[in-house]
Amino acid sequence: MIHVLDELSVQPGHLGDVRDLVRRTYEPVATSHGMALVNTWIDPAVELLEQPTDLLLLWEVGDTAAFWATRAAAARDPAVVGFWEEVAPMLSGRRRRIMVDPDDSSVLR
């Protein structure tokens, strides 16, 4: 199992809008490409009004082949590109981490 952690640094006042865009636009498309949203958090544990609040999205992808298939499909999907273009003005940054259990022998090293 591969885990993908999207860290979106959301500008003050836009957390609700970004969460709505994720739910309405990005999650259905990501799901159609083989990703499953496992959990969502904010950091810190309250929405900040004077500095960005991090929205953390944890996704699962079955294995290495599924990860690369998902990545290739998303790169060609206008809905994915459109989501990132629409959400970009509400973010001060973003980061994606690709993580695996170090004992998982089903993923390539």
Side-chain angles (χ1 to χ4, degrees):
M1 184 69 60
I2 295 175
H3 289 91
V4 177
L5 181 64
D6 285 328
E7 301 175 11
L8 308 180
S9 186
V10 181
Q11 293 285 2
H14 293 287
L15 185 61
D17 296 331
V18 172
R19 291 186 68 213
D20 182 56
L21 274 172
V22 168
R23 279 190 220 109
R24 187 171 34 88
T25 306
Y26 191 60
E27 184 178 1
V29 173
T31 300
S32 75
H33 292 307
M35 293 175 66
L37 186 60
V38 176
N39 218 325
T40 304
W41 301 277
I42 61 169
D43 175 39
V46 296
E47 181 178 4
L48 301 176
L49 301 177
E50 296 172 4
Q51 60 185 352
T53 301
D54 290 337
L55 177 61
L56 307 167
L57 308 168
L58 182 65
W59 306 88
E60 283 184 347
V61 182
D63 57 22
T64 303
F67 171 78
W68 287 110
T70 296
R71 190 171 173 126
R76 295 186 309 268
D77 190 326
V80 173
V81 173
F83 166 77
W84 289 114
E85 288 174 354
E86 187 173 356
V87 79
M90 293 181 271
L91 303 180
S92 62
R94 68 179 187 170
R95 178 178 179 183
R96 173 168 273 186
R97 296 180 188 215
I98 313 300
M99 306 171 297
V100 298
D101 178 338
D103 295 326
D104 185 347
S105 62
S106 71
V107 295
L108 300 176
R109 306 267 185 252

